[in-house]
Amino acid sequence: MAYVVGLMSGTSLDGVDAALVKIEDCGLKSKVELIDFISIPFANEIKQEIHDALSIETSSSQQICSLNFQLGEIFADAVIAICQKARFPLDQLDYIGSHGQTIYHQPIKAGKFIPSTLQIGEAAVIAYRTKTIVVSNFRTMDMAASGQGAPLVPYTELILYGSCEKSRLLQNIGGIGNVTVLPKDATLDDVRAFDTGPGNMMIDHICQKFYGMPYDKSGAIGKSGQVNETLLQQCMRMPYILTPPPKSTGRELFGAKLVDRLITDYSHLSKEDFVATMTMFTAKSIAENYKKFIFPTTTIDEVIVGGGGSYNDTLMNMLQAELAGHCSVFKQEDFGYSSEAKEAIAFAILANETMNHLPNNVPSATGAKQSVILGNITPVPY
């Protein structure tokens, strides 16, 4: 049995999610219990630093170098905070699984730039502050094996949601949308997964730009607008949307640059219509990926949605309408889990697999040549 904290800082840049988890055994025998969860928002100045680091125009090696250590301190604070909240002694923690903050993810070669990825949040700082083993840098070994380094959560979703009776899709809607296909009675070889396209990222950027709000709470703004079909169809023609899997994407494709360009090109649209259209773009891109790449080969009984997007009622209603007649749509909470904690729990599970010397990627999802053990292990420093 192990007590593990999973840390996640995603493409939405909301802050750090920390889940304290008890895990018995490992592999497909794992029994996972969430003890407590906390989400700590980034201070505005840190959020701006991350935004600057993400941009080729505003980042520098010095800035990224400094931010790497700053985020290490913030992640360590999150570990301490979740243990305090749960009244769990820090010295009884077995290890920490930290995804880190993605600065750049390039899954395929682009000109002279080879496939590569960079997540920061210095593991040595976390280990020193918490006196706990840290498993980090999960994506790189999969990419070393010629995979795309994403998505990483399918292995954990098979452990948590695999069913002998029903075929399920696990749809995460964070900054980016990604889906895991779990046929009924699936083995690891049966699991498929890929990024469907935008999640909340484009919606959030518009809300920040137009309203000074971090996101569209409950989808209220999107509900008040009208979907512009011309803009929607232009977005749906983006090559990524119907590129066959394996595939992964990120802020480089669906971030602020794209949104700002669309705002300029469609300046006649109201703010509400823009939010409504980007919300539909997320829903429709998810549904079209299902219809083209999943439904033709696998009968699906249930879609289970997690991530911040599951709390956007307008987005959920649009997704349900797009999938009407195909399958039922649920939230994580309908199955007794937390949509907010899902990915932090996943990195606790992945760390447990790493510490038990078990391969924990899914080659059928990432395109890797073989199963590999993910993550770098930073030991207790003294």
Side-chain angles (χ1 to χ4, degrees):
M1 182 174 67
Y3 290 95
V4 191
V5 168
L7 297 174
M8 179 63 189
S9 175
T11 50
S12 56
L13 308 185
D14 296 329
V16 183
D17 294 338
L20 176 60
V21 178
K22 180 173 77 172
I23 307 176
E24 296 183 25
D25 216 323
C26 56
L28 297 182
K29 297 179 181 178
S30 299
K31 295 180 180 178
V32 182
E33 177 188 343
L34 175 64
I35 298 173
D36 212 336
F37 171 76
I38 193 170
S39 186
I40 303 175
F42 284 132
N44 288 335
E45 57 268 25
I46 292 295
K47 187 179 290 190
Q48 185 59 54
E49 283 225 32
I50 297 171
H51 271 292
D52 290 344
L54 295 172
S55 170
I56 294 171
E57 290 78 18
T58 57
S59 66
S60 69
S61 56
Q62 183 181 28
Q63 196 248 8
I64 293 173
C65 185
S66 172
L67 184 60
N68 179 41
F69 275 68
Q70 282 184 281
L71 288 174
E73 297 285 356
I74 291 169
F75 293 162
D77 289 340
V79 174
I80 294 167
I82 186 59
C83 288
Q84 289 176 340
K85 181 173 184 279
R87 297 182 179 178
F88 183 86
L90 184 62
D91 61 5
Q92 291 185 24
L93 197 62
D94 291 291
Y95 29 86
I96 297 161
S98 177
H99 172 268
Q101 177 63 58
T102 298
I103 294 300
Y104 208 85
H105 181 69
Q106 184 170 300
I108 59 176
K109 189 175 188 294
K112 68 177 182 179
F113 298 108
I114 67 172
S116 50
T117 190
L118 178 63
Q119 285 73 43
I120 63 173
E122 182 53 56
V125 173
I126 305 171
Y128 186 84
R129 289 275 313 280
T130 63
K131 302 179 179 65
T132 306
I133 295 169
V134 177
V135 186
S136 63
N137 225 22
F138 287 92
R139 298 188 186 276
T140 51
M141 186 59 77
D142 183 86
M143 296 192 76
S146 300
Q148 295 197 5
L152 291 178
V153 296
Y155 186 95
T156 70
E157 289 173 329
L158 178 61
I159 290 172
L160 294 173
Y161 300 98
S163 171
C164 295
E165 300 172 354
K166 293 185 177 181
S167 294
R168 290 171 167 165
L169 299 182
L170 275 295
Q171 178 69 48
N172 181 64
I173 307 178
I176 292 295
N178 51 71
V179 64
T180 298
V181 186
L182 299 177
K184 63 181 178 181
D185 206 21
T187 67
L188 188 60
D189 291 338
D190 298 320
V191 177
R192 293 184 291 144
F194 56 92
D195 288 352
T196 51
N200 304 313
M201 183 181 295
M202 298 176 74
I203 305 167
D204 291 351
H205 182 69
I206 296 168
C207 288
Q208 291 159 13
K209 190 179 185 73
F210 285 157
Y211 298 94
M213 298 166 53
Y215 60 94
D216 184 9
K217 187 174 182 180
S218 301
I221 300 172
K223 184 178 180 181
S224 68
Q226 298 292 321
V227 174
N228 181 276
E229 287 296 330
T230 303
L231 173 56
L232 176 62
Q233 291 307 314
Q234 178 177 333
C235 291
M236 288 298 298
R237 285 193 296 270
M238 291 184 66
Y240 181 86
I241 300 303
L242 293 181
T243 295
K247 59 179 179 176
S248 60
T249 189
R251 187 172 294 277
E252 298 77 25
L253 188 57
F254 294 105
K257 276 189 176 181
L258 170 62
V259 178
D260 289 342
R261 186 170 72 248
L262 293 174
I263 289 172
T264 299
D265 292 345
Y266 289 82
S267 58
H268 60 285
L269 292 187
S270 71
K271 295 180 289 187
E272 295 78 12
D273 288 357
F274 231 106
V275 175
T277 305
M278 292 302 100
T279 305
M280 176 58 87
F281 179 34
T282 292
K284 197 170 186 67
S285 62
I286 292 170
E288 289 303 309
N289 270 277
Y290 292 2
K291 292 171 185 177
K292 188 170 181 65
F293 303 122
I294 299 173
F295 293 159
T297 58
T298 308
T299 299
I300 299 298
D301 301 301
E302 299 170 339
V303 177
I304 306 172
V305 183
S310 68
Y311 299 114
N312 184 321
D313 295 336
T314 301
L315 174 55
M316 289 294 290
N317 289 337
M318 288 175 171
L319 183 60
Q320 287 173 328
E322 290 291 318
L323 297 176
H326 290 281
C327 50
S328 301
V329 180
F330 300 93
K331 294 182 181 180
Q332 296 271 337
E333 283 75 7
D334 296 324
F335 292 80
Y337 293 98
S338 165
S339 291
E340 288 184 302
K342 175 178 178 289
E343 289 200 301
I345 293 171
F347 285 97
I349 296 171
L350 288 174
N352 187 61
E353 299 301 283
T354 302
M355 293 302 296
N356 281 281
H357 310 291
L358 291 176
N360 45 359
N361 66 330
V362 181
S364 59
T366 66
K369 291 179 179 178
Q370 65 186 90
S371 296
V372 292
I373 300 172
L374 304 176
N376 299 346
I377 299 173
T378 303
V380 175
Y382 54 88

